[in-house]
Amino acid sequence: TKKPVSKTTTKTESPAMKKKKEDDDIIELGEDGFDASPPTEEKVAAKSKSAVEDEKKSEEKVMKDEPKKVEQMSKAADDNKEDEDNDKEKNSPPPLGNGGTVDGKYVWTQTLQEVTVNIPLPDNTRGRDLNVVIGKTNLKAGLKAAAPDFIVNAPLTKPIIMDDSFWTVEDNKVLVIILQKVNQMEWWDSVCVGDPTIDVKTIQPESSKLDDLDGETRQSVEKMMFDQRQKAMGMPTSEEQQKFDAIEKFKKAHPEMDFSQAKIS
């Protein structure tokens, strides 16, 4: 009997496969010196991996920059709101009576000399039914029947002249308190500390009230009003303008001097 002869088969590459392998190993260079050979499977895979990594980095950068963009947008919105509020203040009318209202307590008005506080009371209220204490820097007012509670009990925004301040009851239903200011050249933004304030820059005293003032006081008030308007428009105040005029006069009197490097405040 013949024994079977084992055959060993050897896998040989076809000429086409051998040529493809050789072609894959060849790198063609373009005119710019970079690889211009056709893409292989390995190159395509490497390029895909690189694209994925670049996309991942781009996403990470977007995620990192997003909080900054949100913060910038929020800041821009706040700036716009602030500008709108400033424009609104500039265009807002002056407060009625140069004063304001404290809800549930009182209505107040003022001139440069005094502050008037009007507190509504129950009908048929008499002076003896009230407890009113006017201090130099504090005000208390309320019904004795409601003691120890007061309608008003707080420090004043500015000091007053006690001897020239007083109170009275009008029509048996309104407590009127007159507070004489110590400084009669400034406006109050509120009567008591902690109460809602008004914008004193919008106050425009009527000319008829100025006519009631003596010459020196009226001149001072008109100067204060002029300076307030100048500041609101970004223009120099009367004192700043006087200083500027004096400097210009000095420059003209001394043309031989060089003021180009001078810092004048």
Side-chain angles (χ1 to χ4, degrees):
T1 61
K2 294 182 179 180
K3 294 182 180 180
V5 179
S6 61
K7 297 182 179 180
T8 304
T9 59
T10 303
K11 186 177 181 181
T12 59
E13 295 180 348
S14 66
M17 292 179 61
K18 187 174 182 181
K19 186 176 185 305
K20 182 178 181 302
K21 185 176 181 181
E22 290 175 353
D23 290 342
D24 291 343
D25 293 336
I26 296 174
I27 298 177
E28 298 179 9
L29 298 180
E31 294 180 357
D32 54 1
F34 290 96
D35 185 3
S37 56
T40 62
E41 294 180 1
E42 292 82 359
K43 290 180 181 179
V44 171
K47 189 174 182 180
S48 299
K49 183 179 180 182
S50 176
V52 171
E53 291 178 353
D54 291 342
E55 185 177 351
K56 185 177 179 181
K57 289 179 180 178
S58 178
E59 291 178 354
E60 290 176 352
K61 186 176 185 301
V62 170
M63 294 295 291
K64 185 177 180 181
D65 293 342
E66 192 66 24
K68 294 181 181 179
K69 290 182 180 179
V70 172
E71 184 179 353
Q72 290 173 353
M73 292 174 63
S74 177
K75 186 177 184 302
D78 292 341
D79 291 342
N80 290 336
K81 185 177 184 303
E82 185 176 348
D83 291 339
E84 290 175 1
D85 292 342
N86 291 336
D87 292 339
K88 187 176 180 181
E89 287 181 3
K90 289 179 182 178
N91 298 326
S92 61
L96 185 63
N98 300 330
T101 301
V102 180
D103 292 337
K105 292 185 178 182
Y106 59 84
V107 176
W108 66 283
T109 60
Q110 68 174 321
T111 64
L112 280 170
Q113 291 78 36
E114 63 187 28
V115 174
T116 302
V117 181
N118 299 279
I119 302 176
L121 300 170
D123 290 342
N124 301 319
T125 300
R126 294 166 294 180
R128 64 186 182 185
D129 299 325
L130 300 172
N131 184 7
V132 181
V133 181
I134 301 175
K136 184 177 181 179
T137 58
N138 191 276
L139 177 64
K140 292 182 180 180
L143 294 165
K144 289 181 178 178
D149 295 331
F150 289 87
I151 300 173
V152 180
N153 183 11
L156 293 169
T157 301
K158 308 284 185 181
I160 62 169
I161 303 173
M162 293 176 57
D163 293 341
D164 295 335
S165 301
F166 60 94
W167 62 275
T168 185
V169 178
E170 292 185 356
D171 300 328
N172 291 334
K173 59 180 180 180
V174 180
L175 170 60
V176 180
I177 304 174
I178 308 297
L179 305 174
Q180 202 72 19
K181 297 178 180 179
V182 170
N183 186 346
Q184 300 188 353
M185 297 302 300
E186 67 177 353
W187 299 105
W188 289 19
D189 61 359
S190 66
V191 177
C192 296
V193 176
D195 284 344
T197 59
I198 63 170
D199 184 1
V200 296
K201 291 183 291 186
T202 62
I203 292 178
Q204 298 175 357
E206 297 177 6
S207 57
S208 59
K209 294 180 181 178
L210 293 177
D211 293 337
D212 297 334
L213 304 176
D214 61 82
E216 184 178 353
T217 303
R218 175 174 176 173
Q219 187 177 11
S220 299
V221 172
E222 289 177 339
K223 176 180 177 296
M224 179 182 68
M225 293 169 59
F226 172 80
D227 289 343
Q228 285 183 348
R229 286 194 297 268
Q230 290 292 96
K231 286 182 178 179
M233 295 185 295
M235 303 289 286
T237 63
S238 55
E239 292 181 358
E240 291 170 344
Q241 187 63 48
Q242 288 177 1
K243 185 185 294 184
F244 177 79
D245 293 341
I247 293 171
E248 290 300 309
K249 185 177 180 181
F250 183 81
K251 287 181 179 180
K252 291 180 180 180
H254 299 277
E256 74 282 359
M257 298 180 66
D258 181 16
F259 294 93
S260 60
Q261 303 297 326
K263 293 182 179 180
I264 303 172
S265 59

mmCIF file with all atom_site columns, all heavy atoms in Angstrom, residues 96-98 109-113 187 203-214 218 221:
data_model
loop_
_atom_site.group_PDB
_atom_site.id
_atom_site.type_symbol
_atom_site.label_atom_id
_atom_site.label_alt_id
_atom_site.label_comp_id
_atom_site.label_asym_id
_atom_site.label_entity_id
_atom_site.label_seq_id
_atom_site.pdbx_PDB_ins_code
_atom_site.Cartn_x
_atom_site.Cartn_y
_atom_site.Cartn_z
_atom_site.occupancy
_atom_site.B_iso_or_equiv
_atom_site.pdbx_formal_charge
_atom_site.auth_seq_id
_atom_site.auth_comp_id
_atom_site.auth_asym_id
_atom_site.auth_atom_id
_atom_site.pdbx_PDB_model_num
ATOM 1   N N   . LEU A 1 96  ? -43.105 116.036 42.316 1.00 0.00 ? 96  LEU A N   1
ATOM 2   C CA  . LEU A 1 96  ? -44.178 116.948 42.680 1.00 0.00 ? 96  LEU A CA  1
ATOM 3   C C   . LEU A 1 96  ? -43.874 117.603 44.027 1.00 0.00 ? 96  LEU A C   1
ATOM 4   O O   . LEU A 1 96  ? -43.652 116.924 45.028 1.00 0.00 ? 96  LEU A O   1
ATOM 5   C CB  . LEU A 1 96  ? -45.508 116.193 42.741 1.00 0.00 ? 96  LEU A CB  1
ATOM 6   C CG  . LEU A 1 96  ? -46.757 117.040 42.996 1.00 0.00 ? 96  LEU A CG  1
ATOM 7   C CD1 . LEU A 1 96  ? -46.966 118.020 41.850 1.00 0.00 ? 96  LEU A CD1 1
ATOM 8   C CD2 . LEU A 1 96  ? -47.975 116.148 43.174 1.00 0.00 ? 96  LEU A CD2 1
ATOM 9   N N   . GLY A 1 97  ? -43.860 118.941 44.033 1.00 0.00 ? 97  GLY A N   1
ATOM 10  C CA  . GLY A 1 97  ? -43.576 119.661 45.270 1.00 0.00 ? 97  GLY A CA  1
ATOM 11  C C   . GLY A 1 97  ? -42.150 119.488 45.740 1.00 0.00 ? 97  GLY A C   1
ATOM 12  O O   . GLY A 1 97  ? -41.831 119.773 46.900 1.00 0.00 ? 97  GLY A O   1
ATOM 13  N N   . ASN A 1 98  ? -41.289 118.995 44.859 1.00 0.00 ? 98  ASN A N   1
ATOM 14  C CA  . ASN A 1 98  ? -39.872 118.735 45.199 1.00 0.00 ? 98  ASN A CA  1
ATOM 15  C C   . ASN A 1 98  ? -39.732 117.735 46.330 1.00 0.00 ? 98  ASN A C   1
ATOM 16  O O   . ASN A 1 98  ? -38.716 117.738 47.039 1.00 0.00 ? 98  ASN A O   1
ATOM 17  C CB  . ASN A 1 98  ? -39.154 120.044 45.562 1.00 0.00 ? 98  ASN A CB  1
ATOM 18  C CG  . ASN A 1 98  ? -39.162 121.043 44.431 1.00 0.00 ? 98  ASN A CG  1
ATOM 19  O OD1 . ASN A 1 98  ? -39.171 120.664 43.257 1.00 0.00 ? 98  ASN A OD1 1
ATOM 20  N ND2 . ASN A 1 98  ? -39.191 122.324 44.758 1.00 0.00 ? 98  ASN A ND2 1
ATOM 21  N N   . THR A 1 109 ? -43.187 117.649 50.971 1.00 0.00 ? 109 THR A N   1
ATOM 22  C CA  . THR A 1 109 ? -42.720 118.607 49.984 1.00 0.00 ? 109 THR A CA  1
ATOM 23  C C   . THR A 1 109 ? -41.602 119.426 50.629 1.00 0.00 ? 109 THR A C   1
ATOM 24  O O   . THR A 1 109 ? -41.374 119.343 51.840 1.00 0.00 ? 109 THR A O   1
ATOM 25  C CB  . THR A 1 109 ? -43.858 119.538 49.524 1.00 0.00 ? 109 THR A CB  1
ATOM 26  O OG1 . THR A 1 109 ? -44.361 120.241 50.664 1.00 0.00 ? 109 THR A OG1 1
ATOM 27  C CG2 . THR A 1 109 ? -44.989 118.747 48.882 1.00 0.00 ? 109 THR A CG2 1
ATOM 28  N N   . GLN A 1 110 ? -40.932 120.220 49.809 1.00 0.00 ? 110 GLN A N   1
ATOM 29  C CA  . GLN A 1 110 ? -39.849 121.034 50.367 1.00 0.00 ? 110 GLN A CA  1
ATOM 30  C C   . GLN A 1 110 ? -39.566 122.264 49.516 1.00 0.00 ? 110 GLN A C   1
ATOM 31  O O   . GLN A 1 110 ? -39.844 122.307 48.323 1.00 0.00 ? 110 GLN A O   1
ATOM 32  C CB  . GLN A 1 110 ? -38.562 120.211 50.507 1.00 0.00 ? 110 GLN A CB  1
ATOM 33  C CG  . GLN A 1 110 ? -37.942 119.804 49.185 1.00 0.00 ? 110 GLN A CG  1
ATOM 34  C CD  . GLN A 1 110 ? -36.598 119.108 49.342 1.00 0.00 ? 110 GLN A CD  1
ATOM 35  O OE1 . GLN A 1 110 ? -35.771 119.477 50.196 1.00 0.00 ? 110 GLN A OE1 1
ATOM 36  N NE2 . GLN A 1 110 ? -36.361 118.079 48.530 1.00 0.00 ? 110 GLN A NE2 1
ATOM 37  N N   . THR A 1 111 ? -39.024 123.275 50.184 1.00 0.00 ? 111 THR A N   1
ATOM 38  C CA  . THR A 1 111 ? -38.364 124.397 49.540 1.00 0.00 ? 111 THR A CA  1
ATOM 39  C C   . THR A 1 111 ? -36.928 124.365 50.046 1.00 0.00 ? 111 THR A C   1
ATOM 40  O O   . THR A 1 111 ? -36.559 123.466 50.824 1.00 0.00 ? 111 THR A O   1
ATOM 41  C CB  . THR A 1 111 ? -39.032 125.731 49.924 1.00 0.00 ? 111 THR A CB  1
ATOM 42  O OG1 . THR A 1 111 ? -38.871 125.935 51.334 1.00 0.00 ? 111 THR A OG1 1
ATOM 43  C CG2 . THR A 1 111 ? -40.514 125.714 49.578 1.00 0.00 ? 111 THR A CG2 1
ATOM 44  N N   . LEU A 1 112 ? -36.130 125.325 49.633 1.00 0.00 ? 112 LEU A N   1
ATOM 45  C CA  . LEU A 1 112 ? -34.757 125.342 50.144 1.00 0.00 ? 112 LEU A CA  1
ATOM 46  C C   . LEU A 1 112 ? -34.717 125.640 51.638 1.00 0.00 ? 112 LEU A C   1
ATOM 47  O O   . LEU A 1 112 ? -33.764 125.252 52.319 1.00 0.00 ? 112 LEU A O   1
ATOM 48  C CB  . LEU A 1 112 ? -33.920 126.382 49.388 1.00 0.00 ? 112 LEU A CB  1
ATOM 49  C CG  . LEU A 1 112 ? -33.400 125.934 48.026 1.00 0.00 ? 112 LEU A CG  1
ATOM 50  C CD1 . LEU A 1 112 ? -32.795 127.104 47.273 1.00 0.00 ? 112 LEU A CD1 1
ATOM 51  C CD2 . LEU A 1 112 ? -32.370 124.820 48.178 1.00 0.00 ? 112 LEU A CD2 1
ATOM 52  N N   . GLN A 1 113 ? -35.757 126.292 52.150 1.00 0.00 ? 113 GLN A N   1
ATOM 53  C CA  . GLN A 1 113 ? -35.736 126.681 53.565 1.00 0.00 ? 113 GLN A CA  1
ATOM 54  C C   . GLN A 1 113 ? -36.347 125.629 54.497 1.00 0.00 ? 113 GLN A C   1
ATOM 55  O O   . GLN A 1 113 ? -35.897 125.464 55.632 1.00 0.00 ? 113 GLN A O   1
ATOM 56  C CB  . GLN A 1 113 ? -36.503 128.010 53.766 1.00 0.00 ? 113 GLN A CB  1
ATOM 57  C CG  . GLN A 1 113 ? -35.835 129.224 53.171 1.00 0.00 ? 113 GLN A CG  1
ATOM 58  C CD  . GLN A 1 113 ? -36.033 129.294 51.666 1.00 0.00 ? 113 GLN A CD  1
ATOM 59  O OE1 . GLN A 1 113 ? -37.086 128.917 51.146 1.00 0.00 ? 113 GLN A OE1 1
ATOM 60  N NE2 . GLN A 1 113 ? -35.028 129.763 50.954 1.00 0.00 ? 113 GLN A NE2 1
ATOM 61  N N   . TRP A 1 187 ? -30.974 120.557 48.871 1.00 0.00 ? 187 TRP A N   1
ATOM 62  C CA  . TRP A 1 187 ? -32.226 119.815 48.798 1.00 0.00 ? 187 TRP A CA  1
ATOM 63  C C   . TRP A 1 187 ? -32.086 118.487 49.539 1.00 0.00 ? 187 TRP A C   1
ATOM 64  O O   . TRP A 1 187 ? -31.027 117.883 49.537 1.00 0.00 ? 187 TRP A O   1
ATOM 65  C CB  . TRP A 1 187 ? -32.599 119.539 47.341 1.00 0.00 ? 187 TRP A CB  1
ATOM 66  C CG  . TRP A 1 187 ? -32.800 120.763 46.506 1.00 0.00 ? 187 TRP A CG  1
ATOM 67  C CD1 . TRP A 1 187 ? -31.952 121.269 45.573 1.00 0.00 ? 187 TRP A CD1 1
ATOM 68  C CD2 . TRP A 1 187 ? -33.921 121.650 46.540 1.00 0.00 ? 187 TRP A CD2 1
ATOM 69  N NE1 . TRP A 1 187 ? -32.468 122.407 45.020 1.00 0.00 ? 187 TRP A NE1 1
ATOM 70  C CE2 . TRP A 1 187 ? -33.685 122.661 45.593 1.00 0.00 ? 187 TRP A CE2 1
ATOM 71  C CE3 . TRP A 1 187 ? -35.115 121.675 47.273 1.00 0.00 ? 187 TRP A CE3 1
ATOM 72  C CZ2 . TRP A 1 187 ? -34.586 123.704 45.360 1.00 0.00 ? 187 TRP A CZ2 1
ATOM 73  C CZ3 . TRP A 1 187 ? -36.019 122.707 47.037 1.00 0.00 ? 187 TRP A CZ3 1
ATOM 74  C CH2 . TRP A 1 187 ? -35.754 123.703 46.092 1.00 0.00 ? 187 TRP A CH2 1
ATOM 75  N N   . ILE A 1 203 ? -34.821 118.355 40.438 1.00 0.00 ? 203 ILE A N   1
ATOM 76  C CA  . ILE A 1 203 ? -35.599 119.436 41.043 1.00 0.00 ? 203 ILE A CA  1
ATOM 77  C C   . ILE A 1 203 ? -35.375 120.727 40.263 1.00 0.00 ? 203 ILE A C   1
ATOM 78  O O   . ILE A 1 203 ? -34.244 121.117 39.983 1.00 0.00 ? 203 ILE A O   1
ATOM 79  C CB  . ILE A 1 203 ? -35.214 119.628 42.524 1.00 0.00 ? 203 ILE A CB  1
ATOM 80  C CG1 . ILE A 1 203 ? -35.655 118.409 43.344 1.00 0.00 ? 203 ILE A CG1 1
ATOM 81  C CG2 . ILE A 1 203 ? -35.835 120.894 43.087 1.00 0.00 ? 203 ILE A CG2 1
ATOM 82  C CD1 . ILE A 1 203 ? -35.283 118.484 44.806 1.00 0.00 ? 203 ILE A CD1 1
ATOM 83  N N   . GLN A 1 204 ? -36.468 121.397 39.916 1.00 0.00 ? 204 GLN A N   1
ATOM 84  C CA  . GLN A 1 204 ? -36.411 122.667 39.198 1.00 0.00 ? 204 GLN A CA  1
ATOM 85  C C   . GLN A 1 204 ? -37.292 123.681 39.923 1.00 0.00 ? 204 GLN A C   1
ATOM 86  O O   . GLN A 1 204 ? -38.492 123.757 39.693 1.00 0.00 ? 204 GLN A O   1
ATOM 87  C CB  . GLN A 1 204 ? -36.886 122.488 37.757 1.00 0.00 ? 204 GLN A CB  1
ATOM 88  C CG  . GLN A 1 204 ? -36.013 121.539 36.954 1.00 0.00 ? 204 GLN A CG  1
ATOM 89  C CD  . GLN A 1 204 ? -36.564 121.292 35.568 1.00 0.00 ? 204 GLN A CD  1
ATOM 90  O OE1 . GLN A 1 204 ? -37.635 121.782 35.218 1.00 0.00 ? 204 GLN A OE1 1
ATOM 91  N NE2 . GLN A 1 204 ? -35.839 120.537 34.764 1.00 0.00 ? 204 GLN A NE2 1
ATOM 92  N N   . PRO A 1 205 ? -36.702 124.470 40.818 1.00 0.00 ? 205 PRO A N   1
ATOM 93  C CA  . PRO A 1 205 ? -37.492 125.454 41.575 1.00 0.00 ? 205 PRO A CA  1
ATOM 94  C C   . PRO A 1 205 ? -38.161 126.455 40.632 1.00 0.00 ? 205 PRO A C   1
ATOM 95  O O   . PRO A 1 205 ? -37.588 126.858 39.630 1.00 0.00 ? 205 PRO A O   1
ATOM 96  C CB  . PRO A 1 205 ? -36.454 126.151 42.457 1.00 0.00 ? 205 PRO A CB  1
ATOM 97  C CG  . PRO A 1 205 ? -35.288 125.226 42.490 1.00 0.00 ? 205 PRO A CG  1
ATOM 98  C CD  . PRO A 1 205 ? -35.287 124.513 41.180 1.00 0.00 ? 205 PRO A CD  1
ATOM 99  N N   . GLU A 1 206 ? -39.388 126.832 40.965 1.00 0.00 ? 206 GLU A N   1
ATOM 100 C CA  . GLU A 1 206 ? -40.095 127.815 40.154 1.00 0.00 ? 206 GLU A CA  1
ATOM 101 C C   . GLU A 1 206 ? -39.474 129.191 40.359 1.00 0.00 ? 206 GLU A C   1
ATOM 102 O O   . GLU A 1 206 ? -39.036 129.543 41.455 1.00 0.00 ? 206 GLU A O   1
ATOM 103 C CB  . GLU A 1 206 ? -41.578 127.851 40.550 1.00 0.00 ? 206 GLU A CB  1
ATOM 104 C CG  . GLU A 1 206 ? -42.297 126.528 40.298 1.00 0.00 ? 206 GLU A CG  1
ATOM 105 C CD  . GLU A 1 206 ? -43.730 126.586 40.771 1.00 0.00 ? 206 GLU A CD  1
ATOM 106 O OE1 . GLU A 1 206 ? -44.167 127.679 41.177 1.00 0.00 ? 206 GLU A OE1 1
ATOM 107 O OE2 . GLU A 1 206 ? -44.398 125.548 40.743 1.00 0.00 ? 206 GLU A OE2 1
ATOM 108 N N   . SER A 1 207 ? -39.441 129.974 39.278 1.00 0.00 ? 207 SER A N   1
ATOM 109 C CA  . SER A 1 207 ? -38.829 131.301 39.367 1.00 0.00 ? 207 SER A CA  1
ATOM 110 C C   . SER A 1 207 ? -39.549 132.185 40.367 1.00 0.00 ? 207 SER A C   1
ATOM 111 O O   . SER A 1 207 ? -38.955 133.070 40.984 1.00 0.00 ? 207 SER A O   1
ATOM 112 C CB  . SER A 1 207 ? -38.843 131.965 37.985 1.00 0.00 ? 207 SER A CB  1
ATOM 113 O OG  . SER A 1 207 ? -40.173 132.033 37.490 1.00 0.00 ? 207 SER A OG  1
ATOM 114 N N   . SER A 1 208 ? -40.863 131.958 40.535 1.00 0.00 ? 208 SER A N   1
ATOM 115 C CA  . SER A 1 208 ? -41.614 132.773 41.485 1.00 0.00 ? 208 SER A CA  1
ATOM 116 C C   . SER A 1 208 ? -41.092 132.582 42.904 1.00 0.00 ? 208 SER A C   1
ATOM 117 O O   . SER A 1 208 ? -41.111 133.500 43.714 1.00 0.00 ? 208 SER A O   1
ATOM 118 C CB  . SER A 1 208 ? -43.105 132.411 41.429 1.00 0.00 ? 208 SER A CB  1
ATOM 119 O OG  . SER A 1 208 ? -43.295 131.038 41.721 1.00 0.00 ? 208 SER A OG  1
ATOM 120 N N   . LYS A 1 209 ? -40.623 131.382 43.206 1.00 0.00 ? 209 LYS A N   1
ATOM 121 C CA  . LYS A 1 209 ? -40.069 131.132 44.533 1.00 0.00 ? 209 LYS A CA  1
ATOM 122 C C   . LYS A 1 209 ? -38.744 131.856 44.699 1.00 0.00 ? 209 LYS A C   1
ATOM 123 O O   . LYS A 1 209 ? -38.424 132.333 45.778 1.00 0.00 ? 209 LYS A O   1
ATOM 124 C CB  . LYS A 1 209 ? -39.890 129.629 44.753 1.00 0.00 ? 209 LYS A CB  1
ATOM 125 C CG  . LYS A 1 209 ? -41.198 128.853 44.811 1.00 0.00 ? 209 LYS A CG  1
ATOM 126 C CD  . LYS A 1 209 ? -40.946 127.378 45.040 1.00 0.00 ? 209 LYS A CD  1
ATOM 127 C CE  . LYS A 1 209 ? -42.250 126.594 45.082 1.00 0.00 ? 209 LYS A CE  1
ATOM 128 N NZ  . LYS A 1 209 ? -42.027 125.141 45.266 1.00 0.00 ? 209 LYS A NZ  1
ATOM 129 N N   . LEU A 1 210 ? -37.979 131.960 43.640 1.00 0.00 ? 210 LEU A N   1
ATOM 130 C CA  . LEU A 1 210 ? -36.707 132.667 43.713 1.00 0.00 ? 210 LEU A CA  1
ATOM 131 C C   . LEU A 1 210 ? -36.931 134.149 43.969 1.00 0.00 ? 210 LEU A C   1
ATOM 132 O O   . LEU A 1 210 ? -36.117 134.809 44.627 1.00 0.00 ? 210 LEU A O   1
ATOM 133 C CB  . LEU A 1 210 ? -35.916 132.472 42.414 1.00 0.00 ? 210 LEU A CB  1
ATOM 134 C CG  . LEU A 1 210 ? -35.424 131.044 42.127 1.00 0.00 ? 210 LEU A CG  1
ATOM 135 C CD1 . LEU A 1 210 ? -34.733 131.002 40.769 1.00 0.00 ? 210 LEU A CD1 1
ATOM 136 C CD2 . LEU A 1 210 ? -34.474 130.571 43.204 1.00 0.00 ? 210 LEU A CD2 1
ATOM 137 N N   . ASP A 1 211 ? -38.026 134.674 43.455 1.00 0.00 ? 211 ASP A N   1
ATOM 138 C CA  . ASP A 1 211 ? -38.311 136.099 43.642 1.00 0.00 ? 211 ASP A CA  1
ATOM 139 C C   . ASP A 1 211 ? -38.555 136.439 45.109 1.00 0.00 ? 211 ASP A C   1
ATOM 140 O O   . ASP A 1 211 ? -38.404 137.601 45.523 1.00 0.00 ? 211 ASP A O   1
ATOM 141 C CB  . ASP A 1 211 ? -39.538 136.512 42.811 1.00 0.00 ? 211 ASP A CB  1
ATOM 142 C CG  . ASP A 1 211 ? -39.251 136.436 41.311 1.00 0.00 ? 211 ASP A CG  1
ATOM 143 O OD1 . ASP A 1 211 ? -38.061 136.497 40.941 1.00 0.00 ? 211 ASP A OD1 1
ATOM 144 O OD2 . ASP A 1 211 ? -40.213 136.294 40.528 1.00 0.00 ? 211 ASP A OD2 1
ATOM 145 N N   . ASP A 1 212 ? -38.937 135.433 45.893 1.00 0.00 ? 212 ASP A N   1
ATOM 146 C CA  . ASP A 1 212 ? -39.208 135.677 47.315 1.00 0.00 ? 212 ASP A CA  1
ATOM 147 C C   . ASP A 1 212 ? -37.934 135.739 48.145 1.00 0.00 ? 212 ASP A C   1
ATOM 148 O O   . ASP A 1 212 ? -37.979 136.131 49.315 1.00 0.00 ? 212 ASP A O   1
ATOM 149 C CB  . ASP A 1 212 ? -40.119 134.576 47.874 1.00 0.00 ? 212 ASP A CB  1
ATOM 150 C CG  . ASP A 1 212 ? -41.485 134.566 47.180 1.00 0.00 ? 212 ASP A CG  1
ATOM 151 O OD1 . ASP A 1 212 ? -41.882 135.632 46.677 1.00 0.00 ? 212 ASP A OD1 1
ATOM 152 O OD2 . ASP A 1 212 ? -42.119 133.498 47.149 1.00 0.00 ? 212 ASP A OD2 1
ATOM 153 N N   . LEU A 1 213 ? -36.803 135.359 47.558 1.00 0.00 ? 213 LEU A N   1
ATOM 154 C CA  . LEU A 1 213 ? -35.549 135.326 48.300 1.00 0.00 ? 213 LEU A CA  1
ATOM 155 C C   . LEU A 1 213 ? -34.857 136.688 48.246 1.00 0.00 ? 213 LEU A C   1
ATOM 156 O O   . LEU A 1 213 ? -35.059 137.466 47.308 1.00 0.00 ? 213 LEU A O   1
ATOM 157 C CB  . LEU A 1 213 ? -34.622 134.257 47.719 1.00 0.00 ? 213 LEU A CB  1
ATOM 158 C CG  . LEU A 1 213 ? -35.171 132.826 47.653 1.00 0.00 ? 213 LEU A CG  1
ATOM 159 C CD1 . LEU A 1 213 ? -34.173 131.914 46.960 1.00 0.00 ? 213 LEU A CD1 1
ATOM 160 C CD2 . LEU A 1 213 ? -35.487 132.303 49.046 1.00 0.00 ? 213 LEU A CD2 1
ATOM 161 N N   . ASP A 1 214 ? -34.017 136.935 49.261 1.00 0.00 ? 214 ASP A N   1
ATOM 162 C CA  . ASP A 1 214 ? -33.221 138.162 49.234 1.00 0.00 ? 214 ASP A CA  1
ATOM 163 C C   . ASP A 1 214 ? -32.138 138.042 48.170 1.00 0.00 ? 214 ASP A C   1
ATOM 164 O O   . ASP A 1 214 ? -31.846 136.939 47.682 1.00 0.00 ? 214 ASP A O   1
ATOM 165 C CB  . ASP A 1 214 ? -32.601 138.431 50.605 1.00 0.00 ? 214 ASP A CB  1
ATOM 166 C CG  . ASP A 1 214 ? -31.665 137.314 51.042 1.00 0.00 ? 214 ASP A CG  1
ATOM 167 O OD1 . ASP A 1 214 ? -30.501 137.318 50.595 1.00 0.00 ? 214 ASP A OD1 1
ATOM 168 O OD2 . ASP A 1 214 ? -32.107 136.434 51.811 1.00 0.00 ? 214 ASP A OD2 1
ATOM 169 N N   . ARG A 1 218 ? -30.729 134.568 46.634 1.00 0.00 ? 218 ARG A N   1
ATOM 170 C CA  . ARG A 1 218 ? -31.175 134.244 45.287 1.00 0.00 ? 218 ARG A CA  1
ATOM 171 C C   . ARG A 1 218 ? -29.989 134.022 44.362 1.00 0.00 ? 218 ARG A C   1
ATOM 172 O O   . ARG A 1 218 ? -29.997 133.093 43.534 1.00 0.00 ? 218 ARG A O   1
ATOM 173 C CB  . ARG A 1 218 ? -32.049 135.366 44.744 1.00 0.00 ? 218 ARG A CB  1
ATOM 174 C CG  . ARG A 1 218 ? -32.455 135.134 43.290 1.00 0.00 ? 218 ARG A CG  1
ATOM 175 C CD  . ARG A 1 218 ? -33.426 136.175 42.808 1.00 0.00 ? 218 ARG A CD  1
ATOM 176 N NE  . ARG A 1 218 ? -33.716 135.983 41.397 1.00 0.00 ? 218 ARG A NE  1
ATOM 177 C CZ  . ARG A 1 218 ? -34.630 136.649 40.715 1.00 0.00 ? 218 ARG A CZ  1
ATOM 178 N NH1 . ARG A 1 218 ? -35.365 137.558 41.329 1.00 0.00 ? 218 ARG A NH1 1
ATOM 179 N NH2 . ARG A 1 218 ? -34.831 136.414 39.432 1.00 0.00 ? 218 ARG A NH2 1
ATOM 180 N N   . VAL A 1 221 ? -28.617 130.607 45.032 1.00 0.00 ? 221 VAL A N   1
ATOM 181 C CA  . VAL A 1 221 ? -29.486 129.556 44.515 1.00 0.00 ? 221 VAL A CA  1
ATOM 182 C C   . VAL A 1 221 ? -29.351 129.445 43.002 1.00 0.00 ? 221 VAL A C   1
ATOM 183 O O   . VAL A 1 221 ? -29.256 128.339 42.439 1.00 0.00 ? 221 VAL A O   1
ATOM 184 C CB  . VAL A 1 221 ? -30.958 129.827 44.902 1.00 0.00 ? 221 VAL A CB  1
ATOM 185 C CG1 . VAL A 1 221 ? -31.891 128.843 44.204 1.00 0.00 ? 221 VAL A CG1 1
ATOM 186 C CG2 . VAL A 1 221 ? -31.134 129.734 46.405 1.00 0.00 ? 221 VAL A CG2 1
#
